[in-house]
Amino acid sequence: MKLNILVLPGDGIGTEVTREAVRVLRRVAEKYGHELSLAEGLLGGIAIHRTGSPIPEETARLAAEADATLLGAVGLPEFDNAPPSQRPERGLLGIRKVLGVFANLRPVRAYETLLDSSPLKNERVRGTDMIIVRELTGGIYYGTPRGIEGSGPEERAVNTMAYTRAEIERIARMAFELARQRRRKLSSVDKSNVLECSQLWRRVVAGLSAEYPDVELEHVLVDNCAMQLVLNPTRFDVVLTENMFGDILSDEGAVLAGSIGMLPSASIGPKRPSGAWVGLYEPVHGSAPDIAGQDRANPFGAIGSVAAMLEYSFGLKEEAAAVQRAMDAVLASGRVTADLKPKGAPCSTSEAGSAVCEAI
Ligand code: NAD
């Protein structure tokens, strides 16, 4: 198979972890006989430095042409006080928009060898294996009217949460289909006791469940979900939720795995005529200026994002499983970076990447 991939290393440790993720991609292509066609583009702070824009037109063009995009992370401290339109993070919103991705998938797994790194007791977190499906293009982050008006005690801020039936159906179908490939349990999260948006959400998801009788559906209020995620995370398989709730819950899910450096993510868009999902794959973490340039960042979030890309955009389940197994083996061997607090001397980013390539 020909794998047409755009690589956007971005800033800080983004470039370091992406380098290892690309090595893993090359190893998979070599082992399974796929042809890799890689293009590289600019996004974020480096793009501002080189072109003046956090998402240059060339990057948008390359992304539209690629089958899938692998992103490191963006963000440079020198832009911390720049206006929003001139910040590296604007590149993230831009690339999501170019690709039209509407679902953010965040797998959360508790690795046996990392249980001690989790802030939760081992017996609580052991066996956790869920995927959080967050709607990415609607809800309160985008709704209008929005803004701040007036002054003095009457100064007033407004945001609007809005969802259409079509937006809810689109993401809910994706979640039902994912649940079918897993343990067939879907937890739809809302705040239907207070919000009209959530009432429509619940009605639409419940209506769709008739088409997926093999998937067990439950509705969970978001406040209860936040609690259950730490009390009983193993009860979840696929968690479906709207944009803002998903933003918050997925970061809560992130701590279960022990280190933010472990977490992959996939932002998925419409299906191509070939049947493959358009996808943007990136680790959950940022550019970590505090450790950038030191070759000590954990590359597993980026490498896990490659596994997600192989599975969702290319349908290469065996290859994705091989990457996952290799990561498991390396974790068990203790050849891991400092954030995972290994018993022996910690590995560098590149050593951890080499270990995964060898295990594949
Ligand atoms: P961060 O995720 O970059 O770092 C938070 C902490 O986690 C830091 O102590 C860092 O050293 C550690 N860390 C993160 N990834 C790690 C890894 N792979 N291995 C080991 N340790 C790791 O978040 P931040 O410090 O709040 O943000 C830094 C910059 O990144 C900011 O400019 C922010 O806007 C940007 N950011 C970008 C993205 C993205 O590109 N998707 C996401 C979050 C933050």
Side-chain angles (χ1 to χ4, degrees), residues 82-212:
S85 64
Q86 283 155 41
R87 288 183 55 129
E89 292 78 358
R90 183 53 66 98
L92 278 181
L93 297 181
I95 190 85
R96 287 178 185 158
K97 198 163 171 208
V98 165
L99 292 171
V101 291
F102 60 82
N104 185 243
L105 313 188
R106 290 251 201 125
V108 178
R109 269 184 69 193
Y111 291 88
E112 189 61 31
T113 42
L114 298 183
L115 290 183
D116 288 338
S117 316
S118 171
L120 299 190
K121 292 197 179 87
N122 288 3
E123 65 270 20
R124 283 251 150 97
V125 80
R126 177 173 284 125
T128 296
D129 180 4
M130 76 180 91
I131 184 158
I132 300 178
V133 179
R134 165 189 169 194
E135 203 288 328
L136 209 53
T137 60
I140 199 163
Y141 292 170
Y142 295 96
T144 52
R146 64 183 298 159
I148 303 178
E149 59 193 16
S151 59
E154 297 308 313
E155 188 174 7
R156 183 169 177 271
V158 179
N159 289 97
T160 302
M161 183 185 270
Y163 269 106
T164 64
R165 170 177 285 275
E167 284 173 318
I168 301 168
E169 265 191 30
R170 181 173 72 166
I171 186 93
R173 276 189 195 285
M174 182 180 279
F176 273 112
E177 283 177 24
L178 269 173
R180 267 194 171 155
Q181 293 164 31
R182 296 173 46 98
R183 301 196 305 278
R184 294 171 186 261
K185 184 167 177 203
L186 178 61
S187 308
S188 174
V189 177
D190 62 42
K191 188 71 185 166
S192 60
N193 52 347
V194 178
L195 299 174
E196 281 78 4
C197 269
S198 284
Q199 285 158 14
L200 180 64
W201 183 278
R202 190 174 279 217
R203 196 148 42 81
V204 172
V205 175
L208 275 183
S209 75
E211 293 178 38
Y212 301 88

Side-chain angles (χ1 to χ4, degrees), residues 5 8 12 39 42 47 81 106 109 134 153 168 197 209 259 280 297 335 338 345 355:
I5 296 166
L8 302 171
L42 299 170
N81 298 316
R106 290 251 201 125
R109 269 184 69 193
R134 165 189 169 194
I168 301 168
C197 269
S209 75
S259 166
L280 173 67
R335 291 170 72 190

